[in-house]
Amino acid sequence: DIKQTHRVLHGPDPFEGMEIAPAMLRLELEHELKSKVLLLQENYLVTKGSPKEVERLLVASVSAFLTLFKAALRLYGEVPPAKKMEVLPLLAEHIKFDEEIFTIVWELKAGRKRPGLDTMQIFSRYLAATQSVTDSVDLWLRGTGK
């Protein structure tokens, strides 16, 4: 992202000619995703199932996951969009996951809650979706990812 969006203020471009090997990107991305999923699970335990605390956890984590999803797009040869939410439909072209749940959590972050869904349902879907993306990134290394 830095290479794509930076501006040189003075002197030569320090990123010119820098190439990042896809295998190295995948390795770092897998590490970051697995760390975030593990942190999500650990922090869920700390909430003791309190809906208000679980909602805070979801809202606090969504931006980090969306940023990592932007990096995942690079594995599939895509240039990620600037806006985080625009990542979802593009990533869904390469990875099967519940993209709607990220929209739901993003709406929670904006102070809107969809009727008919309780916090525990949202958390369950969110955890499963983050794990799906993580598993797909892991499969990319083995050559079975797209």
Side-chain angles (χ1 to χ4, degrees), residues 12 30 36 48 84 115 123 131 137:
E30 179 190 21
K36 295 287 185 236
K48 298 179 183 175
K84 290 179 182 178
F123 181 81
Q131 191 63 58
V137 167

Side-chain angles (χ1 to χ4, degrees), residues 19-29 74-75 140-141:
E19 293 299 321
I20 298 169
M24 294 295 107
L25 172 61
R26 197 233 38 98
L27 185 65
E28 182 61 25
L29 181 57
R74 292 185 189 285
L75 286 179
W140 189 91
L141 173 69

